[in-house]
Amino acid sequence: MSFEITGRHKAFEGETAYCRHASTETGTQMAFAVYTPPQAAEGEVPVVTYLAGLTCTEETFMIKAGAQRIAAELGVMLVAPDTSPRGLGLPGEDDDWDFGTGAGFYVDATQAPWDGHYRMASYVVEELPQVVAANFPADLGRASIMGHSMGGHGALVLGLRNAGRYRSISAFAPIANPMDCPWGHKAFGNYLGPDRADWAAWDATDLVRSGRAAWRGPPLLVDQGRADGFLDEQLKPKALQAACAATGTPFELHWRDGYDHGYFFISTFMEAHLRHHARALGLTA
């Protein structure tokens, strides 16, 4: 397995590294970023993985979210993968901003031509942690997951489907019910096929509502801006809220007046999310 660090940047006495490696899950080169806090000089540290949204790359979170300062204080490693395989030349891969390149939706595709490469769920849950741990002082036994928009969907679904791997889950403006929104219909229809029964395994609201994903950790934490232009048509956090209420799933939804969908919103509430994860990871009381 090839691995290289393509850039290093000191920040808050830790370091942000940009990395590339040959992925067995996607059959391509994959990129990711890691922030290693200063506490890692003394040994392994817990890991919070951040999944970005449509059109983003491994750089977006590290540049825009303002997370390194608080991660350095808490002693948590941040890992941010790219949002899809790239450069495959598949038919339609680069036709739209909300499907294909930059829009892997954190599922394992089952439909040709996507199924051989668009395996972002297995990449994030299985392969990426092992690559990180082989090259950085990461304590995989203490891990949490978070994300934004498409990545919020990814964090919720991958966290719920793999509850034994993650101690806490949070999301900013997630696509909370993709089976019931245009982004989800487009992605799931192409990646997973026409049978909606196959979609349900990748929908956080349906996973909770059906009882197929029982979460008994800290509350699923969601922040949502009321001025988000995607709120009503695409995001649907109230559906997830209702499913959690009906099943007794711990859930915490914060409505943020005046905030939209972008990184000004995310950076404003990033500290609260990282402190939420730090408590679950045993870093703070």
Side-chain angles (χ1 to χ4, degrees):
M1 178 183 65
S2 66
F3 170 84
E4 63 174 326
I5 294 177
T6 59
R8 297 178 183 271
H9 308 275
K10 187 172 182 177
F12 301 99
E13 304 308 314
E15 181 182 79
T16 298
Y18 292 107
C19 311
R20 292 182 62 83
H21 74 106
S23 168
T24 57
E25 288 291 349
T26 69
T28 65
Q29 288 285 311
M30 288 297 293
F32 64 93
V34 174
Y35 177 71
T36 303
Q39 293 86 343
E42 305 299 324
E44 294 181 348
V45 293
V47 179
V48 174
T49 298
Y50 177 92
L51 306 181
L54 291 164
T55 76
C56 293
T57 72
E58 74 284 357
E59 294 183 330
T60 311
F61 169 73
M62 293 296 179
I63 293 171
K64 293 185 175 182
Q68 288 96 327
R69 176 185 61 83
I70 193 66
E73 175 194 327
L74 295 169
V76 64
M77 180 178 291
L78 304 173
V79 175
D82 200 353
T83 50
S84 77
R86 294 180 186 266
L88 288 163
L90 299 177
E93 185 179 41
D94 297 316
D95 289 354
D96 298 308
W97 67 275
D98 57 354
F99 179 77
T101 299
F105 260 81
Y106 304 104
V107 301
D108 284 344
T110 58
Q111 304 298 299
W114 315 101
D115 55 339
H117 302 284
Y118 276 65
R119 295 182 49 78
M120 289 301 293
S122 290
Y123 175 73
V124 169
V125 175
E126 302 292 345
E127 185 175 14
L128 178 62
Q130 297 304 318
V131 175
V132 170
N135 294 281
F136 298 91
D139 179 358
L140 299 185
R142 291 188 292 167
S144 293
I145 193 165
M146 64 191 303
H148 166 237
S149 193
M150 176 186 74
H153 142 75
L156 289 166
V157 168
L158 299 186
L160 289 168
R161 285 169 57 107
N162 301 277
R165 291 183 179 267
Y166 302 109
R167 297 196 183 185
S168 51
I169 305 168
S170 77
F172 297 94
I175 305 172
N177 193 188
M179 291 180 67
D180 190 31
C181 78
W183 281 339
H185 291 175
K186 186 174 187 176
F188 287 5
N190 283 282
Y191 292 139
L192 304 175
D195 189 345
R196 290 177 61 90
D198 295 331
W199 300 6
W202 302 99
D203 183 302
T205 296
D206 198 81
L207 285 171
V208 172
R209 183 167 49 215
S210 67
R212 287 184 295 166
W215 177 258
R216 293 296 179 262
L220 305 175
L221 174 62
V222 172
D223 271 69
Q224 176 61 60
R226 292 189 185 275
D228 190 324
F230 300 115
L231 175 57
D232 294 331
E233 183 179 28
Q234 303 283 12
L235 305 181
K236 304 182 183 295
K238 291 182 180 178
L240 179 59
Q241 183 180 41
C244 289
T247 57
T249 302
F251 183 72
E252 192 174 319
L253 174 60
H254 295 282
W255 291 100
R256 304 299 187 180
D257 291 338
Y259 284 91
D260 61 19
H261 196 69
Y263 272 82
F264 294 111
F265 158 60
I266 294 167
S267 62
T268 300
F269 302 105
M270 178 56 63
E271 180 171 348
H273 280 240
L274 288 180
R275 292 195 182 281
H276 171 80
H277 295 303
R279 289 189 292 272
L281 295 167
L283 293 170
T284 61

